[in-house]
Amino acid sequence: RPSRPSRVPFRFIVSFDGTFTITTNTAADAAQLLLVADFLKKLKAGIQSIICPANSNLIWECEIKTLKVNGSDPQRNRLLRSRRSVELTQVVIEFEIIIQAICADSACTDAERVGNILYTSANGDLKAALQDGTFVSGLKADLSMSSSVDDILDTAGLTWNFDELEIPLLKLSKLWYPDWNSGEIRCSNDGKAPNFMTIDGGWWHGSSKEDCCTKYFVWAY
């Protein structure tokens, strides 16, 4: 987890999906990787340590969710996953990366800049670790696997692709929120919603003024 400042900072959500592909020499090699205990867990931890470094001053929280493994639910047991992949020479893992990023003020006016920095850095750092071999060496050390599995990883091709960056806050700036700070009974869409509303990804917001007012001020609307 990244080191934290003494006070709770203003935050917003940055998210993007990614696909991590391991291309092996044979289908048997791919199936063997899926049978290794904690392989996916350690792989995800290795990716997270690069995308969300502990010394980052732009990250408050970071979570990586495994969505699919070779098109299947990651909760399927390892034996079922390996059987399904018996004809495949690839292990394809789909992830979702969700970052609570730190912004400069309550309106997070620097959200787009910070989001782009995190996205570009994550993409570049992970690809660099794949190219120079540090990712594979770290994964092997973390798993303490057999020499045969080490050989599979040494000869496999590892690639990573990111989908587009998502910053929900930028979409929320045009939506309506209960403007309690105004001292009036009203909803606003000025992009100045309190941080606790924006960090929840839009729960507080309405798509129209009427939608917002009937939700929060029904007794006066």
Side-chain angles (χ1 to χ4, degrees), residues 20-25 90 152-159:
F20 194 95
T21 303
I22 304 173
T23 303
T24 59
N25 292 327
Q90 290 186 327
I152 292 173
L153 288 175
D154 284 336
T155 58
L158 279 68
T159 58

Side-chain angles (χ1 to χ4, degrees), residues 6 15 25 27 39 41-42 52 57 70 75 85 95-96 98 103 121 156 163 182 184 204 209 215:
S6 57
S15 67
N25 292 327
F39 177 74
K41 180 180 178 180
K42 298 295 186 180
C52 302
N57 61 358
N70 282 356
Q75 300 304 316
S85 305
F95 292 108
E96 179 185 17
I98 305 171
C103 52
S121 177
D163 290 342
S182 69
E184 301 177 14
W204 293 92
K209 184 177 182 179
K215 184 175 183 179

Side-chain angles (χ1 to χ4, degrees), residues 18-106:
T19 303
F20 194 95
T21 303
I22 304 173
T23 303
T24 59
N25 292 327
T26 68
D29 287 347
Q32 186 174 350
L33 289 180
L34 290 175
L35 287 172
V36 174
D38 288 336
F39 177 74
L40 292 177
K41 180 180 178 180
K42 298 295 186 180
L43 179 70
K44 183 171 71 171
I47 293 172
Q48 183 162 334
S49 69
I50 294 173
I51 291 178
C52 302
N55 61 350
S56 174
N57 61 358
L58 295 177
I59 297 175
W60 179 257
E61 293 281 0
C62 180
E63 178 184 12
I64 297 182
K65 297 179 180 179
T66 306
L67 302 178
K68 291 182 180 180
V69 180
N70 282 356
S72 296
D73 185 339
Q75 300 304 316
R76 292 166 64 94
N77 66 50
R78 289 180 289 125
L79 182 58
L80 288 176
R81 288 200 305 263
S82 65
R83 284 176 176 171
R84 188 184 186 284
S85 305
V86 70
E87 300 299 329
L88 302 175
T89 58
Q90 290 186 327
V91 177
V92 181
I93 306 110
E94 298 174 44
F95 292 108
E96 179 185 17
I97 298 91
I98 305 171
I99 299 173
Q100 281 196 37
I102 297 172
C103 52
D105 52 56
S106 60

Side-chain angles (χ1 to χ4, degrees), residues 12 58 102 104 109-118 167 170:
F12 68 100
L58 295 177
I102 297 172
T109 53
D110 59 343
E112 185 172 11
R113 180 185 67 82
V114 171
N116 285 328
I117 289 174
L118 292 175
I167 304 178
L170 299 182

Side-chain angles (χ1 to χ4, degrees), residues 180-211:
W180 292 312
N181 289 335
S182 69
E184 301 177 14
I185 301 172
R186 74 180 188 190
C187 286
S188 301
N189 68 337
D190 54 8
K192 297 180 180 179
N195 193 247
F196 75 88
M197 292 184 183
T198 60
I199 198 66
D200 280 337
W203 189 90
W204 293 92
H205 291 71
S207 58
S208 66
K209 184 177 182 179
E210 181 180 7
D211 180 35

